[in-house]
Amino acid sequence: MSSSNETDLSFDEFDEVINPRSEETDFDRIVEASVNRRGFLGGTLAFGSFAMLNSTFLAGEAMAAGDRFAFSAIAANSEDTVTVPDGYTADVLVRWGDPLWSDATEFDGATRGNAASQARAFGDNIDGMDVFMDGDKTLLVVNNEYTNRSIIWGNKTVPEVKDADGTVTRKAYRDTDDDDVAKGKAAHGISIVEIAPKNGKWSIVKDSAYNRRITPDTELELSGPAAGHDLLKTQADPTGTRTLGTWNNCGNGKTPWGTYLTCEENFNGYFSSTEDVQDQKPVDLPPEFVRYGISDKDWGYGWARIDERFDISKHPNEPNRAGYVVEIDPRDPNSTPKKRTALGRFKHENAECVVNRDGRIVIYMGDDERGEFIYRFVSDGVYAPGAETDSLLDNGTLSVARFHDNGAGEWIELTPETTGMASQAEICVHARVAGSKVKATTMDRPEWIAANPNADEIYCALTNNKNRGIKPNKGGDLTPVGGPNPREANKYGQIVRWKPNGGDHTAPGFAWDLFVLAGNPTVHQDERAGSGNLNADNMFNSPDGLKFDSNGLLWVQTDGNYSNEGDFAGQGNNQMLAGDPVTGEIRRFLVGPKQCEVTGLTWSADRRAMFIGIQHPGERGDSHWPDGGDSVPRSAVITVTRKDGGLVG
Ligand code: FEO
Ligand code: CA
Ligand code: CA
Ligand code: CA
């Protein structure tokens, strides 16, 4: 059975394929094992039975499909370079701090720039990205998720903070000044830059009319059910409809009408309080703030020092205006980005957009925190090329996923009726609370979600979860071992996938299984060895970025432990692999430099260049990538091409 025929199955037939009752399959066993931890961990199962786990989702003949990889796998390594297979080349396209305009200042490795130079330069810590065409112009839109203090302020002295026993517990950048803080702020957001091939290599086009930085200070509109609600009103914006900026932009999405969706993830880490709210006035920190991790201390960015908006004691509604999916039109440099509140407020990873068969827009989204949920938005209206699209992401139904141990799943709508909450606006602003009220399944940190272009099938990376089976999420929801989260204190992560019933992405039900359980078969013989499609040559940990290419290969990027020791021995630096959804085969394609995360992936329109994000090389001080010598490590977008000029996806 080919994958395209597979999509023609009725749900009952499909259910028969994934849950054959005539004999017990390995998939049945893992599900059963997940339900009964004693069986799972007690040695009654040979963990070799994880072998072929992935195959049960598909008919047996599919396993005979030929090799669809156009490259030979590479070995893991711990080098301070980008490694790609024979026949491929990796070049740096653009780095943190590279000016986007010719009158802007070149990056200075000694100072690492200042607020003024950074405002006109490419941002830091590259994450989600996509390419857009406007006529023959190629626009690259890239998220700049955050900054690492040790790098961006690495020219500043770092006093040690010691415990009573003299051990250094953390470092502080006490001599940073307001300009340093402003530089960090300006390195956040989105970089839009025209790119073009020049002398056989892609490079940025300085001074292009499309070039634009969207930062935490850019004016944005709030739209959808929560816009104008009291929870979103501030002194500066009594209407609750206009806000400044976007930050901690993690993964992304792309709509069929050519807009970019940028996803606000750890937005909470930027708020603090000049009053010690938590200690002195505990009642002032509402339970919703606790659920979203908003407190009197930020994560070291210091923004409240230069921008009062980030002081929650002065502006308690400001955090309610972040944590959304933001829609940007990259072709119009004067357009105002819109925060689409209908898609819910949580720690958004990415926003995978699917046009359902009936034309409705379906967006799948993960909330990346231990024990948080997977969401789905279905538009009320249908998409028609050329017709109005502005309301599609404002009016629709937000649901949350519940996974059952038997391989079935359901979407629970988040409405005042199902949640008991007062209004759709409150449901959107406090989506996590709404998800808890309908008993959504607590997941092992949902990262990117990707739709298979060849099948009605969605994949989600569950990166890891040290709290699985150990402690509840921040809302108090239990995190039992089971279903798609089958391992206690999950160190390695897994990729879950599901098929909507009847091939209808708006259907209330779906069927799920696991594509891969990451692990280390050279160190462990139990469930930590991972699934059968993992071996000493392709093992990895902490899947994060996911994207399908036009051929239907699934690209997997990792953000995990790069110690290459102990549980992670032999896995090397963070990397990018490709998986065949039909056969389950996985091959390593790229290894990043030291202490980086590989995240963000897109292709040129001719599919002869692949653009990949290398985030925070040297985040712990041990990298000089990409410029070598004793240079400052710089997050960068790289271009990967074939030496024969062939297609790369
Ligand atoms: Fe920005 Fe969940 O990664
Ligand atoms: Ca991520
Ligand atoms: Ca991650
Ligand atoms: Ca990262």
mmCIF file of all heavy atoms in Angstrom, residues 127 145 248 250-251 265-266 349 368 445 447 544 559 597, ligand 1:
data_model
loop_
_atom_site.group_PDB
_atom_site.id
_atom_site.type_symbol
_atom_site.label_atom_id
_atom_site.label_comp_id
_atom_site.label_asym_id
_atom_site.label_seq_id
_atom_site.Cartn_x
_atom_site.Cartn_y
_atom_site.Cartn_z
ATOM 1 N N ASP A 127 16.174 30.969 14.968
ATOM 2 C CA ASP A 127 15.273 29.826 15.128
ATOM 3 C C ASP A 127 14.432 29.669 13.868
ATOM 4 O O ASP A 127 14.985 29.665 12.763
ATOM 5 C CB ASP A 127 14.452 29.971 16.426
ATOM 6 C CG ASP A 127 14.133 28.601 17.008
ATOM 7 O OD1 ASP A 127 13.493 27.803 16.305
ATOM 8 O OD2 ASP A 127 14.504 28.320 18.156
ATOM 9 N N GLU A 145 15.412 34.305 18.428
ATOM 10 C CA GLU A 145 14.650 33.904 19.602
ATOM 11 C C GLU A 145 15.066 34.626 20.883
ATOM 12 O O GLU A 145 14.247 35.153 21.600
ATOM 13 C CB GLU A 145 14.759 32.396 19.802
ATOM 14 C CG GLU A 145 13.808 31.870 20.868
ATOM 15 C CD GLU A 145 13.947 30.384 21.116
ATOM 16 O OE1 GLU A 145 15.054 29.856 20.894
ATOM 17 O OE2 GLU A 145 12.980 29.759 21.554
ATOM 18 N N ASN A 248 11.184 36.455 22.035
ATOM 19 C CA ASN A 248 11.303 35.002 22.214
ATOM 20 C C ASN A 248 10.519 34.267 21.135
ATOM 21 O O ASN A 248 9.708 33.386 21.397
ATOM 22 C CB ASN A 248 10.912 34.561 23.628
ATOM 23 C CG ASN A 248 11.734 33.344 24.019
ATOM 24 O OD1 ASN A 248 11.464 32.241 23.563
ATOM 25 N ND2 ASN A 248 12.773 33.547 24.805
ATOM 26 N N CYS A 250 10.143 31.704 18.605
ATOM 27 C CA CYS A 250 10.772 30.383 18.505
ATOM 28 C C CYS A 250 10.564 29.804 17.120
ATOM 29 O O CYS A 250 11.218 30.184 16.171
ATOM 30 C CB CYS A 250 10.215 29.504 19.620
ATOM 31 S SG CYS A 250 10.998 27.909 19.669
ATOM 32 N N GLY A 251 9.637 28.863 16.990
ATOM 33 C CA GLY A 251 9.374 28.283 15.670
ATOM 34 C C GLY A 251 8.461 29.189 14.867
ATOM 35 O O GLY A 251 8.145 30.309 15.268
ATOM 36 N N GLU A 265 7.410 32.215 22.472
ATOM 37 C CA GLU A 265 7.557 31.057 23.357
ATOM 38 C C GLU A 265 7.787 31.503 24.816
ATOM 39 O O GLU A 265 6.845 31.778 25.532
ATOM 40 C CB GLU A 265 8.681 30.139 22.861
ATOM 41 C CG GLU A 265 8.679 28.792 23.599
ATOM 42 C CD GLU A 265 9.851 27.899 23.216
ATOM 43 O OE1 GLU A 265 10.855 28.417 22.730
ATOM 44 O OE2 GLU A 265 9.768 26.671 23.447
ATOM 45 N N ASN A 266 9.037 31.606 25.233
ATOM 46 C CA ASN A 266 9.293 31.896 26.655
ATOM 47 C C ASN A 266 9.207 33.392 26.938
ATOM 48 O O ASN A 266 10.154 34.004 27.433
ATOM 49 C CB ASN A 266 10.650 31.318 27.052
ATOM 50 C CG ASN A 266 10.634 29.806 26.974
ATOM 51 O OD1 ASN A 266 9.838 29.157 27.641
ATOM 52 N ND2 ASN A 266 11.484 29.240 26.126
ATOM 53 N N GLU A 349 5.498 26.989 20.347
ATOM 54 C CA GLU A 349 6.690 26.516 19.645
ATOM 55 C C GLU A 349 6.596 26.923 18.174
ATOM 56 O O GLU A 349 7.265 27.842 17.747
ATOM 57 C CB GLU A 349 6.825 24.999 19.784
ATOM 58 C CG GLU A 349 8.089 24.447 19.132
ATOM 59 C CD GLU A 349 9.355 24.807 19.870
ATOM 60 O OE1 GLU A 349 9.286 25.142 21.058
ATOM 61 O OE2 GLU A 349 10.442 24.754 19.245
ATOM 62 N N ASP A 368 5.469 24.397 24.590
ATOM 63 C CA ASP A 368 6.708 23.765 25.051
ATOM 64 C C ASP A 368 7.014 24.049 26.501
ATOM 65 O O ASP A 368 7.724 24.995 26.825
ATOM 66 C CB ASP A 368 7.891 24.188 24.178
ATOM 67 C CG ASP A 368 9.178 23.522 24.661
ATOM 68 O OD1 ASP A 368 9.088 22.624 25.535
ATOM 69 O OD2 ASP A 368 10.253 23.898 24.176
ATOM 70 N N ARG A 445 6.848 18.035 26.670
ATOM 71 C CA ARG A 445 7.349 19.259 26.033
ATOM 72 C C ARG A 445 7.150 19.272 24.514
ATOM 73 O O ARG A 445 8.101 19.036 23.744
ATOM 74 C CB ARG A 445 8.839 19.483 26.349
ATOM 75 C CG ARG A 445 9.106 19.759 27.821
ATOM 76 C CD ARG A 445 10.546 20.154 28.038
ATOM 77 N NE ARG A 445 10.895 21.268 27.169
ATOM 78 C CZ ARG A 445 12.142 21.581 26.830
ATOM 79 N NH1 ARG A 445 13.149 20.873 27.299
ATOM 80 N NH2 ARG A 445 12.372 22.598 26.039
ATOM 81 N N GLU A 447 7.418 20.315 21.010
ATOM 82 C CA GLU A 447 8.191 21.297 20.228
ATOM 83 C C GLU A 447 7.535 21.391 18.845
ATOM 84 O O GLU A 447 6.323 21.496 18.754
ATOM 85 C CB GLU A 447 9.668 20.882 20.175
ATOM 86 C CG GLU A 447 10.290 20.855 21.572
ATOM 87 C CD GLU A 447 11.223 22.012 21.871
ATOM 88 O OE1 GLU A 447 11.081 23.092 21.280
ATOM 89 O OE2 GLU A 447 12.126 21.836 22.714
ATOM 90 N N ASP A 544 13.608 18.383 18.215
ATOM 91 C CA ASP A 544 12.995 19.690 18.442
ATOM 92 C C ASP A 544 12.427 20.218 17.125
ATOM 93 O O ASP A 544 11.247 20.070 16.844
ATOM 94 C CB ASP A 544 14.052 20.616 19.063
ATOM 95 C CG ASP A 544 13.499 21.952 19.489
ATOM 96 O OD1 ASP A 544 12.505 22.396 18.905
ATOM 97 O OD2 ASP A 544 14.065 22.577 20.400
ATOM 98 N N ASP A 559 17.987 19.628 19.907
ATOM 99 C CA ASP A 559 18.353 20.633 20.907
ATOM 100 C C ASP A 559 18.523 19.863 22.204
ATOM 101 O O ASP A 559 17.654 19.862 23.054
ATOM 102 C CB ASP A 559 17.240 21.669 21.034
ATOM 103 C CG ASP A 559 17.475 22.621 22.196
ATOM 104 O OD1 ASP A 559 18.637 22.760 22.631
ATOM 105 O OD2 ASP A 559 16.495 23.213 22.671
ATOM 106 N N GLU A 597 22.551 24.676 19.061
ATOM 107 C CA GLU A 597 21.329 23.954 18.743
ATOM 108 C C GLU A 597 21.123 24.142 17.247
ATOM 109 O O GLU A 597 21.383 25.226 16.725
ATOM 110 C CB GLU A 597 20.161 24.566 19.526
ATOM 111 C CG GLU A 597 18.793 24.098 19.064
ATOM 112 C CD GLU A 597 17.646 24.834 19.766
ATOM 113 O OE1 GLU A 597 17.915 25.562 20.737
ATOM 114 O OE2 GLU A 597 16.508 24.662 19.318
HETATM 115 FE FE1 FEO B 1 12.298 27.669 21.365
HETATM 116 FE FE2 FEO B 1 10.759 25.042 22.532
HETATM 117 O O1 FEO B 1 12.080 25.881 21.635
#
